[in-house]
Amino acid sequence: MNKLYPYHRLSILIAFLVSLTFSVSAQELAFYKGVVFKKNSPVTIALVSVKNLSRKNLEVVTDDVGAFRIQAAIGDTLLFRKDDYTPQIIVIQNYSPLSVYLQAVIHLNQVTVKETSQQKAMQDVMDNYKKKGQYYTLDPSVMSVLKSPLTGLYELFGKSPEQARKFRQYTKEENERIEVARRYNRTLVKKITNMPDEDLEDFMFNFTPNIEDIRVWNDYDIVSYIKRSYAYFKDNRNDYKIQKLN
């Protein structure tokens, strides 16, 4: 009988572990139901956005009595968000109906605790992924895979590390959005331009600067950008109308 060379054995092991990982991680979607309440209150909240961060294009809103129904699998991450409430992030652990409680935003001298609470909630989710041993590192090196094939392949192809990577990307984008909003927001734009409310949404959607600009601009640069952009927007208003769905 021909003996297998070490790298042949490694290839067979890798192929087996990859197939095992994918078979274990493949979970069918199911419909999860729940109700969103105002925290410390029996009052339900309508029109809350419920988004499955682990799946593309899966988002619903709660109905008139705060109820929702969304497709998800165990391990998926749901984001609950509505204006004037602190976003809530929940990782699905079982098939039981969900009761979700949103904290109303507290206003302190026009500065809210919403952003800080949201950032803490996102960090708590990442910490929870790691605390439960669902990943060691989200970016394993080639050498680490070779040294420990089982661990390395799980880090590369496992369902939980993949969910953690998706959530890490969402956290990065959301933190950048918060950073931009601290210096460029509706209140500032309205104060500088005094534009009609019906134009504000269209303007903010089309003329919000990116994070790279915000990090290098001083306050004068931001004000100048708003004035220039609004002058252009007024002359080309029809080209920047957001198409709204009925």
Side-chain angles (χ1 to χ4, degrees):
M1 181 183 297
N2 293 331
K3 294 183 178 180
L4 292 176
Y5 292 103
Y7 64 85
H8 286 157
R9 295 195 187 99
L10 179 59
S11 299
I12 293 173
L13 176 62
I14 290 175
F16 171 74
L17 291 175
V18 169
S19 63
L20 178 64
T21 302
F22 279 116
S23 64
V24 171
S25 65
Q27 296 186 25
E28 293 184 1
L29 293 176
F31 279 100
Y32 285 79
K33 299 179 180 179
V35 179
V36 180
F37 298 89
K38 185 176 181 180
K39 192 170 184 179
N40 299 323
S41 168
V43 177
T44 59
I45 310 174
L47 300 178
V48 175
S49 166
V50 184
K51 185 174 184 179
N52 188 335
L53 299 179
S54 303
R55 314 284 170 175
K56 289 184 178 180
N57 303 319
L58 278 182
E59 184 172 8
V60 299
V61 294
T62 57
D63 61 19
D64 293 342
V65 293
F68 67 91
R69 182 172 179 265
I70 190 170
Q71 282 187 299
I74 290 178
D76 284 3
T77 302
L78 301 184
L79 170 66
F80 298 81
R81 181 158 56 183
K82 183 176 182 177
D83 289 346
D84 295 324
Y85 289 88
T86 300
Q88 176 71 283
I89 298 167
I90 291 178
V91 178
I92 294 179
Q93 304 289 347
N94 51 51
Y95 294 100
S96 301
L98 297 171
S99 294
V100 182
Y101 299 88
L102 297 188
Q103 174 68 57
V105 174
I106 302 171
H107 295 270
L108 301 172
N109 298 326
Q110 299 182 347
V111 177
T112 72
V113 298
K114 179 179 179 180
E115 292 174 355
T116 302
S117 299
Q118 181 177 356
Q119 288 173 312
K120 184 179 184 304
M122 292 188 296
Q123 185 58 50
D124 287 345
V125 171
M126 288 301 299
D127 292 343
N128 194 49
Y129 271 119
K130 195 160 190 176
K131 186 186 301 180
K132 291 185 176 181
Q134 293 175 323
Y135 74 90
Y136 175 72
T137 172
L138 295 181
D139 303 296
S141 65
V142 174
M143 288 303 299
S144 67
V145 175
L146 293 177
K147 287 180 179 178
S148 180
L150 181 60
T151 301
L153 288 172
Y154 174 73
E155 295 286 348
L156 288 172
F157 302 112
K159 182 178 179 63
S160 293
E162 177 61 21
Q163 289 175 335
R165 274 190 289 271
K166 289 180 180 178
F167 190 78
R168 180 180 63 177
Q169 179 61 29
Y170 164 77
T171 299
K172 176 179 179 295
E173 294 170 357
E174 191 66 8
N175 282 333
E176 289 178 353
R177 183 196 65 78
I178 290 172
E179 186 176 345
V180 170
R182 283 175 181 152
R183 302 188 62 205
Y184 183 97
N185 49 59
R186 291 171 179 264
T187 302
L188 177 65
V189 170
K190 180 78 172 178
K191 180 179 179 180
I192 292 173
T193 64
N194 198 31
M195 75 171 66
D197 290 337
E198 58 267 24
D199 288 341
L200 190 56
E201 182 179 358
D202 296 327
F203 181 84
M204 295 297 294
F205 180 81
N206 289 285
F207 291 94
T208 295
N210 57 44
I211 186 65
E212 288 77 15
D213 290 332
I214 286 296
R215 285 173 175 169
V216 298
W217 285 352
N218 57 35
D219 292 344
Y220 176 80
D221 293 329
I222 293 176
V223 172
S224 298
Y225 170 79
I226 292 173
K227 290 180 177 178
R228 292 195 312 271
S229 298
Y230 185 50
Y232 182 82
F233 174 80
K234 286 192 295 184
D235 293 338
N236 302 274
R237 184 179 279 103
N238 291 333
D239 295 336
Y240 291 97
K241 283 291 182 183
I242 300 174
Q243 297 297 318
K244 297 181 174 63
L245 299 178
N246 292 327

